């Protein structure tokens, strides 16, 4: 079944810990077999779990592992989503310019692949970065530009379906 990752408090902590244990078991099983595609998904999932648990540095490490694997196997859709997540963590750590740069790369990948899922992630991340960059007009302008690019790409993708 699906894990209730939306819950608050001790239940969420227990669920996150359980999910992380299962994901680590998957890594232990797949790593010796060299299953890069599966490992990239698990690394991204572990990054999401670490981020959700408030461990930004650990999340960055896991997302970086996923990015490396996704580049090796040419998973542009996965790479767009993972770099999007990476941008959120960078913003939370106060690296706004780097976050915008990583998000711009993610938007480019989402646009090239035409994936509405990636573009949807990108649109949410633009709004998250807006919150982190209040008062920073340069970052706000860059986010406006990215938002326009996302909307244009989503419209093109919908027309081509």
């Amino acid at each position: 079944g699906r894990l209730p990752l939306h819950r608050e408090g001790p239940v969420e902590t227990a669920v996150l810990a359980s999910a992380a244990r299962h994901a680590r078991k998957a890594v232990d099983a797949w790593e010796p077999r060299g299953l890069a595609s599966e490992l990239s998904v698990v690394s991204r999932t572990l990054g999401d779990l670490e981020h959700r648990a408030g461990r930004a540095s650990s999340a960055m490490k896991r997302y970086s592992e996923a990015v490396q694997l996704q580049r090796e196997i040419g998973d542009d859709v996965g790479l767009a989503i993972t770099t999007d997540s990476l941008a959120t963590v960078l913003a939370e750590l106060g690296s706004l310019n780097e976050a915008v740069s990583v998000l711009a790369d993610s938007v480019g990948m989402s646009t090239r692949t035409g994936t509405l899922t990636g573009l949807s992630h990108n649109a949410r991340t633009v709004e998250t970065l807006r919150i982190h960059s209040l008062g920073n007009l340069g970052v706000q302008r860059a986010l406006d530009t990215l938002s326009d690019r996302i909307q244009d790409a989503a419209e093109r993708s919908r027309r081509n379906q």
Side-chain angles (χ1 to χ4, degrees), residues 36-152:
S37 179
E38 289 83 354
L39 285 170
S40 73
V41 172
V42 173
S43 291
R44 184 176 71 224
T45 300
L46 282 167
D48 292 341
L49 293 169
E50 294 289 349
H51 183 219
R52 181 82 182 203
R55 295 185 291 267
S57 295
S58 294
M60 292 278 295
K61 180 179 181 246
R62 295 301 186 167
Y63 289 142
S64 295
E65 291 168 0
V67 164
Q68 181 179 351
L69 289 164
Q70 290 161 338
R71 284 188 175 134
E72 287 175 13
I73 62 175
D75 179 5
D76 290 339
V77 173
L79 191 56
I81 293 169
T82 302
T83 54
D84 180 88
S85 298
L86 194 55
T88 300
V89 174
L90 286 166
E92 290 171 3
L93 291 172
S95 300
L96 289 173
N97 290 328
E98 188 178 359
V100 171
S101 177
V102 169
L103 179 58
D105 291 344
S106 180
V107 170
M109 287 180 264
S110 295
T111 300
R112 281 190 301 281
T113 61
T115 171
L116 288 172
T117 301
L119 293 167
S120 174
H121 279 266
N122 295 149
R124 281 193 306 269
T125 300
V126 164
E127 296 312 311
T128 299
L129 268 59
R130 282 189 198 286
I131 293 166
H132 289 285
S133 63
L134 292 175
N136 186 327
L137 293 178
V139 169
Q140 292 288 325
R141 284 188 196 112
L143 292 172
D144 289 343
T145 300
L146 287 176
S147 183
D148 291 344
R149 284 179 53 199
I150 292 165
Q151 288 176 358
D152 291 345

